[in-house]
Amino acid sequence: MAEPILDDDLWALIEPLLPPPNPQRFRHPGRKTLDDRAVLTGILFVLQSGIPWEMLPKEMGCGSGMSCWRRLHAWQHAGVWEHLHEVLLAKLRAAERIDWSRVVVDSSSIREVGSKTGPTPTDRGYDHDKYRKPLHAAGIATEIARRGEPHGSGLGKTRWVGERTFAWLHNFRRLRVRFVRLAIVHEAFMKIACCIICWRNLQNSFC
């Protein structure tokens, strides 16, 4: 039997963070408000499968793709995913699942539908005093590749953390190519993916 897209324990963390639905009018109340959990299931299905909103299967009972899109936009605007991420990070910290001894900073670029492709501006962060000095002033040791440095420098032992994280994010097919122009929606997908990664870490459910 396939695992549910949204399990009960994760939903128990998310539900209290969601804003209450708008009150319906007494006269002409319109359509019944869609269940939050059903809508979130549709959002997660789009994020994980990468399908367009309009192709969300009706038999899932999640409402239309546009209904899910509107709810995703509203929840992102309300800061739901930011709060959820904070909750999950606190749980990871309490479980001693976060290594605070080092921080890895990296970036990745993806193609946007409808845009021209060209040289990637990312992955060019080489060693330079303007990067190194502020960090040293804050008491932070640095490991930054120097331009022209050959392979075998040993920095891969540090960099793999970033590459592994990008691989986790790219498991969410909606993040492999940017289909949405609104930054708030793309950011919402990114934050949900990060929350799910944290949740899987807590549950030891990485493949």
Side-chain angles (χ1 to χ4, degrees):
M1 182 176 179
E3 294 183 2
I5 295 176
L6 177 59
D7 65 57
D8 294 338
D9 292 336
L10 180 56
W11 172 245
L13 293 178
I14 297 173
E15 187 177 19
L17 304 177
L18 299 178
N22 294 325
Q24 290 186 305
R25 295 171 297 183
F26 179 74
R27 297 183 64 184
H28 311 294
R31 295 180 180 179
K32 183 180 179 180
T33 302
L34 289 167
D35 177 70
D36 283 337
R37 183 168 184 173
V39 172
L40 182 53
T41 298
I43 292 170
L44 294 179
F45 185 78
V46 170
L47 172 61
Q48 294 177 358
S49 67
I51 64 170
W53 289 108
E54 60 271 18
M55 293 183 65
L56 184 65
K58 293 182 179 180
E59 56 268 24
M60 290 184 64
C62 304
S64 68
M66 184 52 63
S67 295
C68 292
W69 183 94
R70 283 194 293 263
R71 201 75 64 90
L72 174 65
H73 187 285
W75 288 341
Q76 169 67 7
H77 185 73
V80 170
W81 314 122
E82 188 74 28
H83 294 157
L84 177 62
H85 198 196
E86 292 172 356
V87 169
L88 292 169
L89 288 175
K91 288 183 175 293
L92 284 169
R93 184 171 187 173
E96 298 184 348
R97 301 297 297 272
I98 299 180
D99 180 5
W100 294 104
S101 65
R102 61 177 180 169
V103 174
V104 178
V105 179
D106 205 344
S107 62
S108 176
S109 61
I110 60 172
R111 184 173 65 88
E112 180 183 2
V113 171
S115 65
K116 296 181 179 179
T117 58
T120 173
T122 62
D123 204 21
R124 298 180 183 179
Y126 294 105
D127 187 21
H128 194 282
D129 284 345
K130 71 177 181 180
Y131 306 127
R132 185 180 291 274
K133 286 182 177 179
L135 294 172
H136 285 181
I140 301 173
T142 58
E143 294 184 56
I144 309 173
R146 296 184 182 277
R147 188 179 295 274
E149 189 169 10
H151 291 289
S153 63
L155 289 178
K157 295 179 181 179
T158 301
R159 184 174 177 178
W160 79 271
V161 176
E163 301 299 332
R164 174 207 61 189
T165 304
F166 292 145
W168 286 344
L169 288 171
H170 289 165
N171 281 333
F172 300 91
R173 295 183 179 181
R174 190 72 181 199
L175 297 180
R176 296 179 186 178
V177 178
R178 180 170 172 175
F179 292 95
V180 294
R181 293 188 178 274
L182 284 180
I184 189 174
V185 176
H186 186 71
E187 184 181 0
F189 274 139
M190 282 289 298
K191 288 185 175 180
I192 295 173
C194 289
C195 289
I196 293 176
I197 289 171
C198 289
W199 176 251
R200 289 174 178 172
N201 195 308
L202 278 169
Q203 303 299 309
N204 293 316
S205 59
F206 283 106
C207 297

